[in-house]
């Protein structure tokens, strides 16, 4: 409960500072659902990023995370024949913990972080109880779901899908079978039809690695940017003296070395369709570096974007952050949003969409929040989602 209050506080601060303007449900765009081409119509589950919120959270009523400045996205999609739901996972914790919470919400059970994991990380094994409050009416190999993860929500859904496929040997080794969460037993990847990541830092972001290299010509941080930076740091990082491991927070998973290490341990089930939508809100300079496009980027992101757009270096783990990492959406490098390093990927081809590989869609011209509808930079993305869902629903089972 305390974790979810952070999202409410951030929403209120954002409103007070003028970062977000609440807007009414706006008129319907031209793009419509095309049921004539559908082969399925499985439910769609949206998973928010850091400091986000969903349908279990009070702030979603007056400022939906999915839609924000552009109007309630899930409401619109439901009106167009798609069955959509918005999950509410921790705004601060690791991809593992968030995956466990997502699983409990989908199955209507009590959150079980795992005995081995919770003892190692220094926190309680169990979390909120969603018994009788399941996010979706049913979820199994027949009633599949389509998962969408924005930002760190991408890592969240990837961890859950990997666990659905293989389970967890560590949890099985220390837990009686009668007490073992169904998430850790494996054999359930056929419960998911597709995964779509939206501006997701698959390989982390150089925004967390500024001590590992150099920045040339970065802009001065604006007052609002400094405020937001402090808020995000408090919201996503480890807390002092709480007995919990600092490796069990989102901020740890967002470092490039840690994100790449996580990728190596995640399975990519071959029976699922994967899509990624990367974003870019920068302009390439004459010297090859990148600077923010202020016409489409939120002002609070411009300072971090400028730094990322001029940054080169080498992580402590030896990974080279070269010029290919300079294009960004204000918070995440565009190259990191395309696919997890080491996993199969192809450029999106609507005539040849493959299972078991990342179908990388064209880079969307917008900042990190654009695919949600934007904050002060309003983006009406609803037609784009209808197009995407028409494609997903037309795919073979």
């Amino acid at each position: 409960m305390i974790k979810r209050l952070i999202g409410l506080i951030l929403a209120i601060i954002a409103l007070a500072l003028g970062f977000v303007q609440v807007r009414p449900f706006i008129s319907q765009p031209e793009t419509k659902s095309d049921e004539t081409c559908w082969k399925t119509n499985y439910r769609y589950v949206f998973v928010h990023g850091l400091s986000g919120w969903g349908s279990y959270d009070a702030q979603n009523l007056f400022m939906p995370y999915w839609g924000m400045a552009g109007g309630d996205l899930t409401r619109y999609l439901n009106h167009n024949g798609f069955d959509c739901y918005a999950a509410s996972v921790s705004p601060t914790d690791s991809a593992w913990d968030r995956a466990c919470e997502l699983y409990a919400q989908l199955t209507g059970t009590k959150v079980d972080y795992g005995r081995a994991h919770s003892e190692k990380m220094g926190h309680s094994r169990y979390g909120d109880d969603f018994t009788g409050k399941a996010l979706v009416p049913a979820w199994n190999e027949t009633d599949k779901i389509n998962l969408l993860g924005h930002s760190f929500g991408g890592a969240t859904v990837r961890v859950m899908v990997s666990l659905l496929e293989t389970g967890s040997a560590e949890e099985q080794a220390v837990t009686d079978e009668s007490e073992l969460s169904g998430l850790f037993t494996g054999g359930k990847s056929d419960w998911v039809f597709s995964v779509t990541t939206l501006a997701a830092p698959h390989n982390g972001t150089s925004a967390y690695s500024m001590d590992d290299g150099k920045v040339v010509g970065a802009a001065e941080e604006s007052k609002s940017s400094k405020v937001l930076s402090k808020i995000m740091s408090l919201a996503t990082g480890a807390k002092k003296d709480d007995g919990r491991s600092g490796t069990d927070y989102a901020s740890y998973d967002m470092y490039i070395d840690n994100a790449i290490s996580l990728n190596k341990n995640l399975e990519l089930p071959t029976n699922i369709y994967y899509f990624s939508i990367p974003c870019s809100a920068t302009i390439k300079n004459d010297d090859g570096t990148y600077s923010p496009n202020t016409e489409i980027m939120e002002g609070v992101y411009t300072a971090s974007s400028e730094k990322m757009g001029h940054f080169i270096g080498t992580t402590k783990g030896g990974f080279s952050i070269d010029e290919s990492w300079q294009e960004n959406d204000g918070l995440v490098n565009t190259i990191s949003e395309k696919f997890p390093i080491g996993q199969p990927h192809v450029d999106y081809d609507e005539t040849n969409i493959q299972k078991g590989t990342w179908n990388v869609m064209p880079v969307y011209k917008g900042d990190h929040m654009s695919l949600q509808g934007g904050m002060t930079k309003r983006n009406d993305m609803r037609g784009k989602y209808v197009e995407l869902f028409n494609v997903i629903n037309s795919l073979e089972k």
Side-chain angles (χ1 to χ4, degrees):
M1 183 63 69
I2 293 176
K3 296 173 185 176
R4 290 185 183 140
L5 286 175
I6 294 175
L8 177 58
I9 293 170
L10 287 169
I12 293 172
I13 292 173
L15 284 167
L17 294 176
F19 294 159
V20 177
Q21 298 173 1
V22 179
R23 298 181 185 274
F25 186 71
I26 56 183
S27 60
Q28 181 169 303
E30 294 182 1
T31 307
K32 304 290 184 68
S33 58
D34 182 11
E35 298 183 26
T36 61
C37 71
W38 291 358
K39 295 182 176 67
T40 67
N41 190 17
Y42 296 124
R43 297 181 177 93
Y44 288 85
V45 176
F46 290 76
V47 183
H48 62 78
L50 297 183
S51 303
W53 56 91
S55 59
Y56 288 96
D57 303 306
Q59 64 267 35
N60 202 60
L61 294 174
F62 65 88
M63 190 176 70
Y65 182 89
W66 297 99
M68 283 198 176
D72 192 325
L73 176 61
T74 57
R75 176 186 166 192
Y76 171 78
L77 292 170
N78 285 331
H79 285 183
N80 271 266
F82 305 104
D83 200 4
C84 299
Y85 302 82
S88 301
V89 292
S90 169
T92 64
D93 292 349
S94 64
W96 174 283
D97 284 5
R98 287 160 56 97
C100 295
E101 293 165 3
L102 178 59
Y103 178 80
Q105 290 175 22
L106 291 168
T107 54
T109 56
K110 190 171 186 177
V111 176
D112 184 352
Y113 299 111
R115 179 179 173 183
H117 175 83
S118 58
E119 290 180 355
K120 179 180 179 180
M121 297 301 171
H123 64 73
S124 298
R125 174 179 171 181
Y126 297 103
D128 293 342
D129 191 345
F130 294 95
T131 303
K133 301 180 291 183
L135 184 64
V136 296
W139 183 39
N140 50 52
E141 68 277 6
T142 301
D143 296 300
K144 303 177 190 288
I145 58 173
N146 298 291
L147 289 165
L148 296 98
H150 172 249
S151 190
F152 196 61
T156 304
V157 299
R158 290 196 298 119
V159 169
M160 188 182 78
V161 166
S162 180
L163 287 170
L164 289 173
E165 168 79 348
T166 63
S168 171
E170 291 79 7
E171 297 302 334
Q172 294 171 19
V174 300
T175 312
D176 187 273
E177 186 175 350
S178 63
E179 298 180 357
L180 190 66
S181 166
L183 179 60
F184 305 137
T185 60
K188 300 183 182 67
S189 65
D190 58 350
W191 292 21
V192 176
F193 187 68
S194 74
V195 169
T196 302
T197 58
L198 312 163
H202 293 302
N203 309 297
T205 170
S206 63
Y208 282 74
S209 300
M210 290 300 169
D211 292 335
D212 298 332
K214 60 181 180 179
V215 181
V216 179
E220 276 298 315
E221 284 188 278
S222 65
K223 183 177 181 181
S224 60
S225 178
K226 291 179 179 179
V227 171
L228 184 63
S229 177
K230 289 181 180 180
I231 293 171
M232 292 298 292
S233 177
L234 290 171
T236 65
K239 311 301 182 291
K240 292 182 178 180
D241 303 324
D242 64 356
R244 183 180 182 131
S245 171
T247 65
D248 200 33
Y249 285 90
S251 56
Y252 178 86
D253 286 342
M254 292 283 285
Y255 278 94
I256 292 173
D257 288 339
N258 301 333
I260 292 175
S261 178
L262 177 66
N263 290 340
K264 292 178 181 178
N265 295 316
L266 296 184
E267 293 292 329
L268 192 74
T270 58
N271 57 339
I272 295 174
Y273 292 101
Y274 300 90
F275 301 90
S276 66
I277 305 179
C279 290
S280 174
T282 49
I283 300 172
K284 192 172 185 178
N285 302 315
D286 291 339
D287 63 358
T289 61
Y290 285 80
S291 292
N293 181 347
T294 56
E295 291 186 2
I296 61 174
M297 183 180 289
E298 299 288 349
V300 295
Y301 299 148
T302 57
S304 61
S305 175
E306 186 77 16
K307 290 179 180 179
M308 294 167 65
H310 291 74
F311 181 78
I312 56 173
T314 302
T315 67
K316 293 178 176 65
F319 182 84
S320 175
I321 308 172
D322 59 18
E323 290 81 1
S324 67
W325 280 67
Q326 291 179 344
E327 185 178 8
N328 65 82
D329 67 6
L331 290 178
V332 179
N333 316 83
T334 302
I335 193 173
S336 183
E337 297 175 339
K338 293 183 176 182
F339 57 88
I341 293 173
Q343 294 189 348
H345 59 278
V346 295
D347 289 338
Y348 174 75
D349 178 356
E350 63 180 0
T351 67
N352 186 29
I353 298 174
Q354 305 176 28
K355 285 185 177 181
T357 190
W358 287 96
N359 296 276
V360 182
M361 306 192 84
V363 174
Y364 179 77
K365 294 301 180 182
D367 70 13
H368 194 65
M369 301 297 285
S370 60
L371 297 178
Q372 291 171 254
M375 294 192 296
T376 63
K377 304 288 187 181
R378 183 174 178 175
N379 286 268
D380 187 357
M381 295 299 303
R382 295 171 301 154
K384 293 292 185 182
Y385 281 97
V386 171
E387 290 179 356
L388 173 63
F389 289 3
N390 277 332
V391 169
I392 292 174
N393 281 9
S394 69
L395 297 172
E396 297 292 340
K397 292 184 179 179

